[in-house]
Amino acid sequence: MKKIGVIFGGLSVEHEVSVITGMQVIENIDKTKYEVIPIYVSKDGKWLTGSSLMDFRNYKDGNFKDAKEIILSANHGDNNIYSHPKTVGLFGKKILGEIDIAFPAFHGMNGEDGTVQGIFELMDIPYVGCGVLGSSVGMDKILMKDVYKANELPVVDYTWFYRSKWLKDKDLIIKDIETKLSYPLFVKPANLGSSIGISKAKNREDLVDAIEVAIRYDRKIIIEQAVENLREINCAVLGFDDEVITSLCEEPIGWEEILSFEDKYVKTNEKGGKSSGERRIIPAGIEDNIRQEIEQLAKKAFITIDGRGVSRIDFLLDANNNVYINEINTLPGSIAFYLWEGKGYSFKKLIDELISIAIKVHEEKKENMYSYEANLFNRTQYGSKVKKV
């Protein structure tokens, strides 16, 4: 039986959303096939494991009676879970268990952005979801749009700047924005999701206020041209390399300008992600030609950043049916299970497929060569001066 380490929480403003996704994966994974090992990263960055982490009620009061602080090794081939050195006495148990496959359920920085994926790459264990590059590009809205624009994928006009530049010369930044774009605008931290820190600016006063909010969350700020009279249409993609399929499309409704964090998570039911009927329409009420265009763009957006596993791509549709890619979510909330149910994928089946893809990706990685015999040591003189070879 494969041991699956479901890892969630993290140092992110989307911490609570990650916990919900982690709990959903733990609840719905096929326990006849997999042994689940919960690994929770607390808000102060401690990695914990223990059976009490399997009960969602414990997160409300932080009462994890049996939880032990742990570390993972970055050594190649070491999949052990170790007790943190400061918690182990002279005769304490140092190895608490092991994981065969990692299932990260992080959202936002320090988890969805390639940092944790790098640990799994060094450990050389299969892991669910996008790799280091896809995760990092997908997280940074500026790099993401640069990559999509270079690949002729439709995105709205945008500009960006560093927080440090704003603090030095606000007037110059405002002048640059107003030269390149026109109101209304969206102001966003480059590396956050769940609508946190995002504001709409209809004039210069709004713009200044919105930037002051956004710089509290990130050092990079992106300003986007707002799409008026828009509809949001979302579509998920599942697969690896160019063997990918698309989910049903959804249309979030009941909002006027932007979905807030509360709209997305607080006002949904306990399952999280599958909202009540008045919050989203699945499948979205769009014409077949629009749906087909969105599906093809979703596949290309996924493949372009070397997507793996499941991602949700969010689109903007204007009054003239022009389609724009808003962003890709490389680890969508609730792993976007609600978009796959109508395609015959239960939550359990979707988890199975994601684990299967993780194993395929890891097997393909073994096809790469990681050494090259160049005999450089014998061809290089070592001493006070190094001779060029």
Side-chain angles (χ1 to χ4, degrees), residues 117-137:
Q117 289 76 11
I119 295 174
F120 303 142
E121 289 284 353
L122 293 174
M123 293 172 67
D124 191 35
I125 64 170
Y127 62 94
V128 169
C130 288
V132 175
L133 180 63
S135 297
S136 58
V137 172

Side-chain angles (χ1 to χ4, degrees), residues 92-129:
K93 186 177 181 181
K94 295 183 179 180
I95 298 179
L96 299 176
E98 62 182 12
I99 55 175
D100 299 312
I101 301 169
F103 197 124
F106 291 108
H107 299 306
M109 296 295 289
N110 302 305
E112 192 182 352
D113 57 353
T115 50
V116 170
Q117 289 76 11
I119 295 174
F120 303 142
E121 289 284 353
L122 293 174
M123 293 172 67
D124 191 35
I125 64 170
Y127 62 94
V128 169

Side-chain angles (χ1 to χ4, degrees), residues 121-278:
E121 289 284 353
L122 293 174
M123 293 172 67
D124 191 35
I125 64 170
Y127 62 94
V128 169
C130 288
V132 175
L133 180 63
S135 297
S136 58
V137 172
M139 174 58 59
D140 190 309
K141 294 180 177 66
I142 298 165
L143 291 176
M144 175 194 69
K145 290 181 185 296
D146 286 349
V147 169
Y148 286 162
K149 190 174 181 179
N151 283 273
E152 300 181 337
L153 285 161
V155 295
V156 298
D157 292 335
Y158 62 96
T159 187
W160 67 277
F161 57 89
Y162 289 114
R163 176 171 53 201
S164 59
K165 191 173 181 180
W166 171 258
L167 297 176
K168 290 178 182 177
D169 197 338
K170 298 178 182 180
D171 291 339
L172 182 63
I173 295 293
I174 292 173
K175 181 180 179 180
D176 183 65
I177 293 170
E178 292 180 337
T179 299
K180 295 177 179 177
L181 305 171
S182 59
Y183 296 103
L185 305 167
F186 277 116
V187 180
K188 304 177 180 180
N191 289 281
L192 285 183
S194 299
S195 301
I196 295 172
I198 298 177
S199 307
K200 187 174 185 180
K202 299 179 181 179
N203 51 52
R204 182 177 292 187
E205 182 180 357
D206 288 349
L207 177 62
V208 172
D209 291 342
I211 292 173
E212 292 292 346
V213 170
I215 62 172
R216 295 167 58 189
Y217 294 99
D218 201 354
R219 58 185 282 270
K220 295 172 69 178
I221 307 301
I222 184 169
I223 313 294
E224 298 175 350
Q225 185 68 61
V227 176
E228 294 287 57
N229 303 311
L230 68 85
R231 296 169 66 185
E232 181 180 343
I233 307 295
N234 303 330
C235 181
V237 178
L238 176 69
F240 168 51
D241 279 358
D242 57 358
E243 296 181 1
V244 298
I245 59 174
T246 54
S247 71
L248 295 177
C249 291
E250 67 161 336
E251 180 176 8
I253 59 173
W255 58 288
E256 295 180 355
E257 296 188 340
I258 189 168
L259 283 170
S260 68
F261 181 92
E262 287 75 14
D263 289 325
K264 289 185 174 182
Y265 302 109
V266 178
K267 295 178 182 178
T268 59
N269 63 20
E270 289 183 353
K271 283 286 182 184
K274 188 173 183 181
S275 307
S276 58
E278 66 270 22

